[in-house]
Amino acid sequence: MIGLGSVVARTLKAALYVGVAAWPMNVLAQAAPVAPQAEPGVAPGADAAEPADIVVTGFRRSLQLANEQKRNADVVSDGISAEDIGKFPDQNLAESLQRITGVQITRSRGEGSSVSIRGLAPDFARTQYNGRTLGSGGSRSFDFTSLSAEFVSAVEVAKSPTADMIEGGLAGTINVRTARPLDIGKSSFNGTVEGVYEDNPDKLSPRVAGLANYANASKTFGINVGVAYEQRKYLAVSYEGYGAETGVEARRNPPIDYNRDGDFGDTYTFNHAQAYQAFPGTRKRLSIVGALQYKPADNINVFADYFHSDFRDTGRWYENATRFTNIAPALPGQPYGVTASTIDTSLVPQLLSGSQGFVTSMTATGLDHRASTFSQDSRKILNSYAAGFDITDGAMKVSGQASYFNSTTNSLNNGFATISRGVGTITHPDGLGSPPKVTYGAGYDPLDPSTFFLLSQDFFGGRNSDRNYEGRLDAEYTFDAGFLKSLKAGLYYGDRRNTAVDTRSSANAATLARLSGGKLVFAPNVEGASGAVRATNILKPISFDTKIPYYPASYLVTDLDAYYGIIPYSTVIGAVPPQDVSGSGYDVGERTMAVYAQAGFGSTDGRLGGNFGVRYVDTQTVSSGLVPDLNGLIIEPGGVFTTVPTGVPTQVKGDYRYLLPSFNVKYEVASDVVVRGALARVLGRPGLGSLSAGTGVNANVRSINSGNPALAPYLSDQADLSLEYYLPKQGLLSAAIFYKHLTNYIINGQVTQTLTAQLRGGGTQTLEFRRNQPLNLESANIKGAELAAQLPLSYLGGAFDGFGVFGSFTYIDAPQIPQFQGGPSAPLNGVSKYNYNAGGYFEKYGIGIRGNYTYRSTFSSGDANYFGDGTFVPAYGQIDASVSYQLTPAISLSADVTNLLDALQKTENGFGLTRINSQIGRRITAGVHFRF
């Protein structure tokens, strides 16, 4: 970790990484601040008070372009534009989007990953790339960590639809645009070389990008190619609570008397496990873009483009965990059980039905203590292709586009069930909203490797393939005069298929002892009939400096280097090759046909304008999967993986048809004041995984999960009204209100089912499962208001020239609904009541400085988690900052700091029990951008 005072030094260190010393000395010697350039025909030194006399650059230029885009739009929308190719305001598109009014983001390993619009979950936001569907491993949402910002010219967020827009964006549609060769209009090269410094691991990594563009002299043909590569070495240090499990004392294996009253008939809720974790990892992203454009005549435009992303995330996951749910003797006859406990009965109304209280502290003998290491390796490859044309003949314009994308995600991880039994005490000194304190006693040493045993090595991962064929044809006729301005009609066809499957395998202790050639000693009676091997020579202590309360000073984890020195990785995976898990996968096909008609209208003076239309959508689905016989479950004692017997193939078809009308209008009250209104019915499709016909089981957390191919789409009848005041010098004030009536809202249907599972080493165990299946059970009304401002402070006088402030505020009023059938009401998934961002900038004399604070109040993540107690993200705020300097007209320097104050990220359950408390640290990016 570093203090705030060290940020400048670290920034300089990152800048040195890019090889500034290698620049030509004559460039450095002649460097001078770049004065604002006069427009052609305007004398230098003309009155700066007139905006037309200044060529605006930098962040102010991106604000100006976004304002122009917003003002000219036919719908309620916002956006962010790049000042120039390769100069998008942020390195991460999601982090740029969070500055837009009504947009919120979630983060993965400190990077913006998914985007919500007006509080609705990311699956309700449709993401497009140059107007076509962009997939992300089967999810309706898009993972923005796969997309480099280097080649993006603008991102548009349409909050109200038109009939010609592809349906599916119930919350809104995000369109990522890249510049075509003839839009750039000249032969050029833009490049960036940067160093990325991560605070937590104290590591520096490269980030480079370049885009070459060619346009012939007649501007009839152009081609461009861009390549970007980024590497991040991160370290996430965290506490994780697995959720509030409710269990009957007699159904523990063996039974556990939690309240020490002498019987096993009580039912209590407790934290399934408390784990202190560290995730050192590396992310690598390669992005490639390419485009062709041909304009043989002014009225003909033919284009094609390509986008490729290769994103890989590798690392190790170290975990020190204790589990309330598994208190037992390590060897037959040894003592075990609860020796002291406190139970909070005041939480009973908030707990699952039947619970008599929550176990807030406990001392136990035979407490399950884990010293685990997991290796993780996932890779997502995305390819997207498109070709199209625009032909104009007088008042008629015909456009067509065909596209294809394919996204594949593969992961293969492995972990070790390494366990010890001892005397441990778990308390919550700071309340349930903070991580617990775990201490050990009665002579038990948590750092003594001789007390640990390895039960198994488990492999787990999966494959996901998502592909889509898409085509559209549009025709528009424009009228020269009259109130009717245009008529537009078109056809759309989409064919999407998503397949997924989980893979698993497990090598038990006896297998590992055999593969080790006797170097791992097998103990047949430890931890049940399956036995274990001594882990003495395959453990090591580790330690991390962190702000997380009660994080242990050091703890043992599996030493993978030592372990694979005994049993090579190829040997063990060759002995137990991963197999597809029966019932876990799905195969969902979705075909959509749509037709629309739309009319544009406007007054002769241009002050009134808008459009109205209707879209007809016909969608057919086919879901295939496996339904296993759940009476044949096999579980590993003390382990966390479940073997499911081969299932019976099943296939289910579904279809739905809807008319989606829309109406948009805008009116210029004055030359600088615009009022907008919109009415529409909007459709949002269920997640592709939710349409699965298969069934998956997890015996560790007692859950059975099935899809539902018969799900209907979400529908929203909505209205928007906004007022926009465009000030001189890129200023803007705006306000909006919106309303959405959602129907067919999907929540989990949930019932209890008791099954008897076979233990891998022999015997059986009776377990009570929760069976989950998504159902269309709810409706909801969402109301909200938005305010936004962009204010250059030059209004206050010349001393403030170059300074400006910007910000937005969103209020969302949404009802509480159950997260599962029959459960307590909880806030609508993804909705934060209060969202705002505020920032300021200075740009003058070639210097640019910008800071931004974003805030999002508490929201439900939509994950009911393993035990149905909900997952909520508490209020979170983060400060990001950047500084840049225009060294020459062709070279600029920049440095950006993400999460300047090292804010922690947290989640909790429905009654405030901490689920996750994570520290990812600051990220500093510094380097040079050049163009010629």
Side-chain angles (χ1 to χ4, degrees), residues 791-802:
L791 298 173
L793 297 184
S794 55
Y795 301 139
L796 303 178
F800 294 92
D801 185 40

Side-chain angles (χ1 to χ4, degrees), residues 354-407:
S355 178
Q356 296 169 250
F358 184 81
V359 181
T360 56
S361 70
M362 182 190 71
T363 300
T365 299
L367 182 67
D368 181 332
H369 178 208
R370 302 289 171 114
S372 302
T373 299
F374 300 85
S375 66
Q376 58 182 24
D377 188 349
S378 65
R379 187 177 186 182
K380 181 186 296 182
I381 298 176
L382 170 66
N383 289 288
S384 177
Y385 310 82
F389 66 88
D390 303 306
I391 299 176
T392 303
D393 184 7
M396 176 66 75
K397 180 180 180 180
V398 178
S399 303
Q401 179 172 273
S403 64
Y404 167 79
F405 84 73
N406 181 274
S407 172

Side-chain angles (χ1 to χ4, degrees), residues 322-348:
T322 53
R323 298 172 66 196
F324 274 154
T325 192
N326 184 21
I327 300 170
L331 293 170
Q334 288 187 346
Y336 81 96
V338 176
T339 59
S341 65
T342 58
I343 296 171
D344 187 343
T345 58
S346 67
L347 294 173
V348 168

